[in-house]
């Protein structure tokens, strides 16, 4: 059980979504998967992936172990350490005062950082290790399909950034308990700073994405599928052709929601700037170049919902 009694959280409720737009679906088994990925990345910065080849039984086993973990007494959940940023977090999101109706585990998935997922039950650790590797491969495959469709000669121009042994990839396991109020904010609106994020949840709704016109749409729950978010870094790499998607999570009043997200980030010394292969003749870069270390350091100093790219924008987009 998670204790979340902050008055600021209980007052942080949202109006229901009104848009009727639908989330784009990419079937990885179809020959048009590449074009659908790029179209979705351009229009929504978000898409749902089906026919991905990951065992549903494996996903359900992981989900059940995650539920068992979050049902543990608080002292046992805190064994991995208090999130800073890695470890167990309860209500507080980051270090700048953001709060939500959520508890979570956040870990690095870099094998060079030592033991993966330390301090949690052995079976859950083994399942999370396998899951993070599976999803990293899937993210790499999708990034390579993107590059192919964009006509970039180097197929792994994006994927090599997250496959690098020094890549700064992370994994978050979230638990949103049943909430005492309708449309209570579970995790506030934000974009992901990385290149790409891959999420999955149990069959409980709550995720919402923001459209380019500012309207919000709910993402129907589907525990058999994966959901991809374009991150800030990929927005810069494509010079704004892809737009990182602003998203949020609303807690369910009656049911617990479990979600797991892989964040594909590059190595700290990687320079993030628009790829020349995607620039038209005479096209100017819309961003100042920066290293991933510079950007993630800057991101940790901002509030959750702030536009972190504003510090690096050269032109209005």
């Amino acid at each position: 059980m998670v204790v979340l009694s902050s008055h600021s959280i209980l007052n942080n409720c949202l109006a229901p979504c009104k848009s009727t737009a639908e989330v784009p679906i990419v079937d990885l088994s179809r020959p048009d998967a590449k074009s659908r990925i790029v179209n979705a990345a351009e229009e929504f910065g978000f898409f749902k992936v089906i026919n991905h080849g990951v065992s549903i039984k494996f996903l359900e086993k992981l989900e059940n172990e995650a539920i068992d973990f979050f049902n543990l007494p608080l002292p046992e959940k805190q064994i991995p350490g208090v999130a800073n940023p890695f470890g167990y977090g309860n209500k507080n999101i980051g270090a700048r005062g953001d709060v939500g109706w959520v508890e979570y585990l956040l870990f690095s998935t870099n094998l060079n950082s030592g033991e993966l997922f330390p301090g949690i039950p052995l079976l859950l650790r083994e399942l999370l290790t396998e899951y993070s590797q599976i999803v990293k491969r899937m993210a790499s495959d999708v990034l390579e399909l993107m590059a192919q469709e964009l006509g970039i000669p180097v197929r792994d121009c994006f994927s090599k950034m997250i496959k690098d042994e020094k890549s700064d990839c992370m994994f978050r396991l979230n638990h949103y308990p049943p909430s005492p109020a309708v449309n209570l904010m579970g995790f506030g609106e934000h974009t992901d700073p990385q290149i790409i994020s891959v999420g999955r949840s149990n069959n409980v709704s709550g995720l919402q994405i923001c459209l380019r016109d500012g309207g919000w749409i709910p993402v129907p729950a589907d525990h058999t599928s994966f959901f991809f978010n374009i991150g800030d870094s990929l927005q810069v790499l494509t010079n704004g052709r892809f737009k990182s998607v602003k998203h949020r999570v609303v807690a369910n009043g009656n049911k617990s929601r479990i979600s797991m997200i892989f964040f594909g980030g590059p190595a700290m010394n990687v320079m993030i700037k628009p790829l020349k292969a995607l620039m038209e003749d005479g096209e100017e870069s819309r961003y100042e170049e920066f290293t991933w270390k510079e950007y993630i350091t800057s991101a940790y100093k901002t509030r959750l919902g702030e536009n972190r790219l504003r510090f690096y924008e050269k032109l209005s987009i």
Side-chain angles (χ1 to χ4, degrees):
M1 179 178 181
V2 58
V3 179
L4 300 170
S5 58
S6 170
H7 182 71
S8 62
I9 299 178
L10 294 176
N11 282 342
N12 197 7
C13 296
L14 302 167
C17 297
K18 296 182 178 179
S19 177
T20 58
E22 295 184 357
V23 171
I25 299 174
V26 175
D27 184 340
L28 290 183
S29 68
R30 291 177 56 88
D32 65 351
K34 291 185 294 185
S35 61
R36 293 183 69 86
I37 287 170
V38 168
N39 290 340
E42 290 177 338
E43 184 176 354
F44 289 85
F46 183 89
F47 49 93
K48 170 180 172 177
V49 163
I50 62 174
N51 287 327
H52 42 71
V54 182
S55 166
I56 301 303
K57 287 185 177 180
F58 169 75
L59 296 174
E60 291 174 343
K61 185 176 182 180
L62 171 55
E63 184 182 303
N64 290 333
E65 289 299 314
I67 292 171
D68 288 345
F69 173 82
F70 286 116
N71 283 334
L72 292 172
L74 183 60
E76 293 185 43
K77 291 187 286 190
Q78 291 178 324
I79 290 175
V82 177
N84 185 32
F86 301 125
Y88 170 81
N90 180 332
K91 182 181 69 175
N92 295 308
I93 303 170
R96 298 297 168 183
D98 293 293
V99 293
W101 194 261
V102 64
E103 60 177 339
Y104 62 89
L105 287 170
L106 180 64
F107 293 112
S108 169
T109 64
N110 189 332
L111 291 172
N112 292 328
S113 65
E115 181 187 29
L116 291 182
F117 311 111
I120 62 175
L122 177 60
L123 180 55
L124 179 59
R125 183 163 72 244
E126 291 174 344
L127 291 170
L128 287 178
T129 299
E130 182 178 357
Y131 178 85
S132 64
Q133 293 169 350
I134 289 171
V135 178
K136 186 174 186 175
R137 286 195 296 269
M138 188 193 307
S140 298
D141 291 344
V142 166
L143 287 171
E144 291 181 6
L145 290 173
M146 280 182 183
Q148 283 184 291
E149 181 65 16
L150 290 169
I152 301 173
V154 182
R155 177 177 176 174
D156 67 347
C157 62
F158 300 135
S159 64
K160 67 182 179 182
M161 296 184 187
I162 69 171
K163 287 199 257 187
D164 190 309
E165 64 179 13
K166 295 181 179 179
S167 66
D168 184 35
C169 296
M170 297 184 290
F171 180 85
R172 178 189 286 271
L173 185 64
N174 293 320
H175 173 227
Y176 301 92
S179 61
V182 177
N183 292 324
L184 185 66
M185 183 70 78
F187 206 108
E189 62 182 69
H190 63 286
T191 60
D192 295 334
Q194 290 85 2
I195 295 170
I196 202 161
S197 307
V198 186
R200 179 199 170 268
S201 74
N202 61 350
N203 231 16
V204 177
S205 61
L207 179 62
Q208 300 176 355
I209 62 170
C210 186
L211 305 178
R212 291 205 174 197
D213 64 5
W216 289 85
I217 61 170
V219 177
D222 182 354
H223 71 291
T224 68
S225 300
F226 290 87
F227 297 88
F228 281 67
N229 295 357
I230 301 301
D232 295 342
S233 295
L234 191 51
Q235 176 173 321
V236 173
L237 290 167
T238 60
N239 205 31
R241 178 169 176 175
F242 295 171
K243 192 74 177 286
S244 58
V245 61
K246 187 179 292 185
H247 52 289
R248 65 192 183 191
V249 175
V250 178
N252 189 292
N254 301 311
K255 299 178 181 179
S256 290
R257 184 174 188 268
I258 294 286
S259 68
M260 45 199 78
I261 307 98
F262 169 81
F263 300 95
M268 289 294 181
N269 64 348
V270 168
M271 188 66 68
I272 307 296
K273 59 183 179 180
L275 297 180
K276 290 184 179 180
L278 293 177
M279 306 274 281
E280 301 287 345
D281 290 341
E283 182 180 352
E284 296 184 31
S285 171
R286 299 184 175 195
Y287 305 93
E288 303 286 351
E289 61 184 48
F290 51 84
T291 64
W292 172 244
K293 182 177 181 179
E294 289 171 334
Y295 191 60
I296 196 63
T297 300
S298 172
Y300 281 139
K301 295 178 181 179
T302 62
R303 295 294 300 270
L304 191 62
E306 291 184 42
N307 174 16
R308 305 179 186 103
L309 280 178
R310 71 185 187 280
F311 300 114
Y312 302 96
E313 290 174 354
K314 293 165 61 173
L315 301 173
S316 177
I317 60 174

